[in-house]
mmCIF file of all heavy atoms in Angstrom:
data_model
loop_
_atom_site.group_PDB
_atom_site.id
_atom_site.type_symbol
_atom_site.label_atom_id
_atom_site.label_comp_id
_atom_site.label_asym_id
_atom_site.label_seq_id
_atom_site.Cartn_x
_atom_site.Cartn_y
_atom_site.Cartn_z
ATOM 1 N N VAL B 136 22.966 -19.848 -26.794
ATOM 2 C CA VAL B 136 22.128 -21.027 -27.047
ATOM 3 C C VAL B 136 22.054 -21.287 -28.541
ATOM 4 O O VAL B 136 21.679 -20.397 -29.305
ATOM 5 C CB VAL B 136 20.712 -20.830 -26.483
ATOM 6 C CG1 VAL B 136 19.831 -21.998 -26.845
ATOM 7 C CG2 VAL B 136 20.783 -20.635 -24.978
ATOM 8 N N PRO B 137 22.399 -22.507 -28.966
ATOM 9 C CA PRO B 137 22.307 -22.848 -30.389
ATOM 10 C C PRO B 137 20.877 -22.661 -30.888
ATOM 11 O O PRO B 137 19.916 -22.854 -30.127
ATOM 12 C CB PRO B 137 22.726 -24.317 -30.438
ATOM 13 C CG PRO B 137 23.412 -24.589 -29.138
ATOM 14 C CD PRO B 137 22.869 -23.606 -28.148
ATOM 15 N N GLU B 138 20.759 -22.370 -32.135
ATOM 16 C CA GLU B 138 19.453 -22.058 -32.703
ATOM 17 C C GLU B 138 18.401 -23.135 -32.450
ATOM 18 O O GLU B 138 17.255 -22.855 -32.179
ATOM 19 C CB GLU B 138 19.584 -21.815 -34.209
ATOM 20 C CG GLU B 138 19.919 -20.374 -34.570
ATOM 21 C CD GLU B 138 18.788 -19.415 -34.236
ATOM 22 O OE1 GLU B 138 17.633 -19.803 -34.390
ATOM 23 O OE2 GLU B 138 19.069 -18.273 -33.819
ATOM 24 N N GLY B 139 18.799 -24.365 -32.591
ATOM 25 C CA GLY B 139 17.788 -25.425 -32.575
ATOM 26 C C GLY B 139 17.611 -26.143 -31.244
ATOM 27 O O GLY B 139 16.975 -27.192 -31.175
ATOM 28 N N THR B 140 18.134 -25.571 -30.182
ATOM 29 C CA THR B 140 18.015 -26.234 -28.869
ATOM 30 C C THR B 140 16.551 -26.510 -28.530
ATOM 31 O O THR B 140 15.691 -25.676 -28.793
ATOM 32 C CB THR B 140 18.609 -25.341 -27.779
ATOM 33 O OG1 THR B 140 19.888 -24.898 -28.186
ATOM 34 C CG2 THR B 140 18.705 -26.099 -26.466
ATOM 35 N N ASP B 141 16.308 -27.658 -27.940
ATOM 36 C CA ASP B 141 14.924 -27.914 -27.540
ATOM 37 C C ASP B 141 14.796 -27.966 -26.023
ATOM 38 O O ASP B 141 13.831 -28.456 -25.497
ATOM 39 C CB ASP B 141 14.420 -29.219 -28.164
ATOM 40 C CG ASP B 141 15.200 -30.410 -27.611
ATOM 41 O OD1 ASP B 141 16.257 -30.168 -26.992
ATOM 42 O OD2 ASP B 141 14.743 -31.547 -27.795
ATOM 43 N N ASP B 142 15.764 -27.441 -25.354
ATOM 44 C CA ASP B 142 15.715 -27.494 -23.905
ATOM 45 C C ASP B 142 14.931 -26.313 -23.353
ATOM 46 O O ASP B 142 15.444 -25.217 -23.204
ATOM 47 C CB ASP B 142 17.134 -27.484 -23.360
ATOM 48 C CG ASP B 142 17.119 -27.599 -21.835
ATOM 49 O OD1 ASP B 142 16.079 -27.928 -21.267
ATOM 50 O OD2 ASP B 142 18.170 -27.321 -21.235
ATOM 51 N N VAL B 143 13.691 -26.567 -23.075
ATOM 52 C CA VAL B 143 12.843 -25.512 -22.572
ATOM 53 C C VAL B 143 13.336 -25.025 -21.214
ATOM 54 O O VAL B 143 13.203 -23.866 -20.866
ATOM 55 C CB VAL B 143 11.389 -26.008 -22.455
ATOM 56 C CG1 VAL B 143 10.510 -24.918 -21.880
ATOM 57 C CG2 VAL B 143 10.881 -26.433 -23.809
ATOM 58 N N GLY B 144 13.930 -25.936 -20.482
ATOM 59 C CA GLY B 144 14.451 -25.557 -19.184
ATOM 60 C C GLY B 144 15.456 -24.429 -19.273
ATOM 61 O O GLY B 144 15.527 -23.567 -18.391
ATOM 62 N N ALA B 145 16.220 -24.426 -20.354
ATOM 63 C CA ALA B 145 17.206 -23.362 -20.549
ATOM 64 C C ALA B 145 16.522 -22.012 -20.628
ATOM 65 O O ALA B 145 16.927 -21.055 -19.971
ATOM 66 C CB ALA B 145 18.016 -23.619 -21.807
ATOM 67 N N VAL B 146 15.481 -21.954 -21.423
ATOM 68 C CA VAL B 146 14.735 -20.709 -21.554
ATOM 69 C C VAL B 146 14.204 -20.297 -20.191
ATOM 70 O O VAL B 146 14.288 -19.134 -19.774
ATOM 71 C CB VAL B 146 13.550 -20.868 -22.517
ATOM 72 C CG1 VAL B 146 12.707 -19.621 -22.480
ATOM 73 C CG2 VAL B 146 14.064 -21.129 -23.910
ATOM 74 N N ALA B 147 13.660 -21.265 -19.501
ATOM 75 C CA ALA B 147 13.067 -20.968 -18.201
ATOM 76 C C ALA B 147 14.104 -20.389 -17.265
ATOM 77 O O ALA B 147 13.837 -19.430 -16.536
ATOM 78 C CB ALA B 147 12.444 -22.220 -17.624
ATOM 79 N N SER B 148 15.295 -20.968 -17.285
ATOM 80 C CA SER B 148 16.292 -20.478 -16.350
ATOM 81 C C SER B 148 16.724 -19.077 -16.719
ATOM 82 O O SER B 148 16.952 -18.236 -15.861
ATOM 83 C CB SER B 148 17.481 -21.435 -16.296
ATOM 84 O OG SER B 148 18.476 -21.031 -17.205
ATOM 85 N N VAL B 149 16.810 -18.824 -18.018
ATOM 86 C CA VAL B 149 17.145 -17.482 -18.443
ATOM 87 C C VAL B 149 16.049 -16.507 -18.008
ATOM 88 O O VAL B 149 16.322 -15.430 -17.490
ATOM 89 C CB VAL B 149 17.345 -17.414 -19.965
ATOM 90 C CG1 VAL B 149 17.516 -15.970 -20.401
ATOM 91 C CG2 VAL B 149 18.563 -18.209 -20.380
ATOM 92 N N ALA B 150 14.828 -16.933 -18.212
ATOM 93 C CA ALA B 150 13.697 -16.074 -17.823
ATOM 94 C C ALA B 150 13.765 -15.755 -16.343
ATOM 95 O O ALA B 150 13.576 -14.619 -15.929
ATOM 96 C CB ALA B 150 12.387 -16.763 -18.150
ATOM 97 N N THR B 151 14.050 -16.770 -15.565
ATOM 98 C CA THR B 151 14.137 -16.549 -14.125
ATOM 99 C C THR B 151 15.239 -15.544 -13.800
ATOM 100 O O THR B 151 15.049 -14.643 -12.980
ATOM 101 C CB THR B 151 14.465 -17.882 -13.412
ATOM 102 O OG1 THR B 151 13.512 -18.846 -13.812
ATOM 103 C CG2 THR B 151 14.413 -17.695 -11.914
ATOM 104 N N GLN B 152 16.371 -15.711 -14.448
ATOM 105 C CA GLN B 152 17.464 -14.772 -14.188
ATOM 106 C C GLN B 152 17.070 -13.352 -14.551
ATOM 107 O O GLN B 152 17.456 -12.399 -13.881
ATOM 108 C CB GLN B 152 18.703 -15.178 -14.964
ATOM 109 C CG GLN B 152 19.451 -16.326 -14.291
ATOM 110 C CD GLN B 152 20.559 -16.860 -15.161
ATOM 111 O OE1 GLN B 152 21.114 -16.143 -15.980
ATOM 112 N NE2 GLN B 152 20.865 -18.120 -14.969
ATOM 113 N N LEU B 153 16.326 -13.237 -15.648
ATOM 114 C CA LEU B 153 15.898 -11.903 -16.048
ATOM 115 C C LEU B 153 14.982 -11.298 -14.991
ATOM 116 O O LEU B 153 15.137 -10.151 -14.599
ATOM 117 C CB LEU B 153 15.169 -11.960 -17.396
ATOM 118 C CG LEU B 153 16.049 -12.296 -18.595
ATOM 119 C CD1 LEU B 153 15.222 -12.299 -19.866
ATOM 120 C CD2 LEU B 153 17.175 -11.276 -18.712
ATOM 121 N N LEU B 154 14.045 -12.098 -14.551
ATOM 122 C CA LEU B 154 13.144 -11.616 -13.514
ATOM 123 C C LEU B 154 13.930 -11.212 -12.277
ATOM 124 O O LEU B 154 13.687 -10.187 -11.658
ATOM 125 C CB LEU B 154 12.129 -12.708 -13.137
ATOM 126 C CG LEU B 154 11.049 -12.984 -14.181
ATOM 127 C CD1 LEU B 154 10.254 -14.230 -13.778
ATOM 128 C CD2 LEU B 154 10.132 -11.796 -14.300
ATOM 129 N N ASP B 155 14.898 -12.033 -11.965
ATOM 130 C CA ASP B 155 15.704 -11.748 -10.784
ATOM 131 C C ASP B 155 16.460 -10.438 -10.943
ATOM 132 O O ASP B 155 16.584 -9.660 -9.993
ATOM 133 C CB ASP B 155 16.699 -12.888 -10.537
ATOM 134 C CG ASP B 155 17.387 -12.761 -9.202
ATOM 135 O OD1 ASP B 155 16.697 -12.516 -8.214
ATOM 136 O OD2 ASP B 155 18.634 -12.844 -9.150
ATOM 137 N N ALA B 156 16.953 -10.211 -12.148
ATOM 138 C CA ALA B 156 17.697 -8.987 -12.400
ATOM 139 C C ALA B 156 16.842 -7.754 -12.132
ATOM 140 O O ALA B 156 17.339 -6.693 -11.768
ATOM 141 C CB ALA B 156 18.201 -8.967 -13.828
ATOM 142 N N LEU B 157 15.541 -7.931 -12.322
ATOM 143 C CA LEU B 157 14.647 -6.786 -12.161
ATOM 144 C C LEU B 157 14.389 -6.453 -10.707
ATOM 145 O O LEU B 157 13.831 -5.408 -10.392
ATOM 146 C CB LEU B 157 13.322 -7.082 -12.822
ATOM 147 C CG LEU B 157 13.368 -7.072 -14.348
ATOM 148 C CD1 LEU B 157 12.045 -7.546 -14.889
ATOM 149 C CD2 LEU B 157 13.662 -5.655 -14.805
ATOM 150 N N THR B 158 14.732 -7.347 -9.841
ATOM 151 C CA THR B 158 14.343 -7.133 -8.445
ATOM 152 C C THR B 158 15.533 -7.124 -7.514
ATOM 153 O O THR B 158 15.459 -7.534 -6.389
ATOM 154 C CB THR B 158 13.366 -8.228 -8.013
ATOM 155 O OG1 THR B 158 13.916 -9.487 -8.358
ATOM 156 C CG2 THR B 158 12.052 -8.047 -8.668
ATOM 157 N N ILE B 159 16.655 -6.664 -8.032
ATOM 158 C CA ILE B 159 17.836 -6.553 -7.176
ATOM 159 C C ILE B 159 17.504 -5.665 -5.982
ATOM 160 O O ILE B 159 17.885 -5.931 -4.866
ATOM 161 C CB ILE B 159 18.997 -5.960 -7.982
ATOM 162 C CG1 ILE B 159 19.504 -6.971 -8.983
ATOM 163 C CG2 ILE B 159 20.126 -5.544 -7.028
ATOM 164 C CD1 ILE B 159 20.576 -6.440 -9.879
ATOM 165 N N ASP B 160 16.779 -4.624 -6.258
ATOM 166 C CA ASP B 160 16.465 -3.712 -5.184
ATOM 167 C C ASP B 160 15.096 -4.022 -4.589
ATOM 168 O O ASP B 160 14.057 -3.665 -5.116
ATOM 169 C CB ASP B 160 16.479 -2.277 -5.702
ATOM 170 C CG ASP B 160 16.504 -1.280 -4.555
ATOM 171 O OD1 ASP B 160 16.153 -1.676 -3.424
ATOM 172 O OD2 ASP B 160 16.873 -0.129 -4.793
ATOM 173 N N ARG B 161 15.140 -4.699 -3.459
ATOM 174 C CA ARG B 161 13.898 -5.092 -2.801
ATOM 175 C C ARG B 161 13.065 -3.883 -2.410
ATOM 176 O O ARG B 161 11.848 -3.926 -2.368
ATOM 177 C CB ARG B 161 14.250 -5.891 -1.545
ATOM 178 C CG ARG B 161 13.218 -6.915 -1.158
ATOM 179 C CD ARG B 161 13.608 -7.544 0.167
ATOM 180 N NE ARG B 161 13.229 -6.703 1.283
ATOM 181 C CZ ARG B 161 12.004 -6.679 1.794
ATOM 182 N NH1 ARG B 161 11.066 -7.443 1.287
ATOM 183 N NH2 ARG B 161 11.701 -5.886 2.801
ATOM 184 N N ARG B 162 13.744 -2.802 -2.120
ATOM 185 C CA ARG B 162 13.013 -1.601 -1.721
ATOM 186 C C ARG B 162 12.039 -1.168 -2.800
ATOM 187 O O ARG B 162 10.875 -0.898 -2.541
ATOM 188 C CB ARG B 162 13.993 -0.459 -1.435
ATOM 189 C CG ARG B 162 14.882 -0.688 -0.244
ATOM 190 C CD ARG B 162 15.908 0.436 -0.125
ATOM 191 N NE ARG B 162 16.725 0.558 -1.334
ATOM 192 C CZ ARG B 162 17.574 1.548 -1.566
ATOM 193 N NH1 ARG B 162 17.731 2.492 -0.675
ATOM 194 N NH2 ARG B 162 18.283 1.571 -2.682
ATOM 195 N N TRP B 163 12.502 -1.151 -4.025
ATOM 196 C CA TRP B 163 11.653 -0.665 -5.093
ATOM 197 C C TRP B 163 10.492 -1.632 -5.353
ATOM 198 O O TRP B 163 9.393 -1.217 -5.733
ATOM 199 C CB TRP B 163 12.444 -0.417 -6.372
ATOM 200 C CG TRP B 163 11.584 0.049 -7.488
ATOM 201 C CD1 TRP B 163 11.437 -0.518 -8.715
ATOM 202 C CD2 TRP B 163 10.715 1.205 -7.495
ATOM 203 N NE1 TRP B 163 10.550 0.183 -9.469
ATOM 204 C CE2 TRP B 163 10.088 1.248 -8.760
ATOM 205 C CE3 TRP B 163 10.408 2.182 -6.553
ATOM 206 C CZ2 TRP B 163 9.175 2.238 -9.101
ATOM 207 C CZ3 TRP B 163 9.503 3.163 -6.892
ATOM 208 C CH2 TRP B 163 8.907 3.176 -8.153
ATOM 209 N N ALA B 164 10.741 -2.896 -5.178
ATOM 210 C CA ALA B 164 9.654 -3.867 -5.367
ATOM 211 C C ALA B 164 8.511 -3.524 -4.420
ATOM 212 O O ALA B 164 7.337 -3.494 -4.796
ATOM 213 C CB ALA B 164 10.154 -5.288 -5.090
ATOM 214 N N LEU B 165 8.883 -3.194 -3.188
ATOM 215 C CA LEU B 165 7.887 -2.855 -2.165
ATOM 216 C C LEU B 165 7.175 -1.550 -2.514
ATOM 217 O O LEU B 165 5.951 -1.446 -2.511
ATOM 218 C CB LEU B 165 8.612 -2.716 -0.828
ATOM 219 C CG LEU B 165 8.056 -3.388 0.396
ATOM 220 C CD1 LEU B 165 7.561 -4.763 0.081
ATOM 221 C CD2 LEU B 165 9.136 -3.449 1.476
ATOM 222 N N VAL B 166 7.976 -0.546 -2.791
ATOM 223 C CA VAL B 166 7.406 0.779 -3.035
ATOM 224 C C VAL B 166 6.559 0.780 -4.309
ATOM 225 O O VAL B 166 5.499 1.402 -4.345
ATOM 226 C CB VAL B 166 8.526 1.838 -3.120
ATOM 227 C CG1 VAL B 166 7.941 3.188 -3.478
ATOM 228 C CG2 VAL B 166 9.277 1.897 -1.826
ATOM 229 N N ASN B 167 7.019 0.054 -5.293
ATOM 230 C CA ASN B 167 6.236 0.012 -6.520
ATOM 231 C C ASN B 167 4.881 -0.642 -6.280
ATOM 232 O O ASN B 167 3.878 -0.218 -6.841
ATOM 233 C CB ASN B 167 6.992 -0.769 -7.606
ATOM 234 C CG ASN B 167 6.369 -0.599 -8.961
ATOM 235 O OD1 ASN B 167 5.986 0.499 -9.348
ATOM 236 N ND2 ASN B 167 6.231 -1.706 -9.691
#
Side-chain angles (χ1 to χ4, degrees):
Chain B
V136 176
E138 272 294 324
T140 311
D141 65 346
D142 182 14
V143 178
V146 173
S148 93
V149 173
T151 307
Q152 281 172 27
L153 291 181
L154 287 172
D155 190 47
L157 288 173
T158 50
I159 289 175
D160 194 341
R161 209 185 81 82
R162 293 175 302 172
W163 178 237
L165 227 42
V166 176
N167 192 44

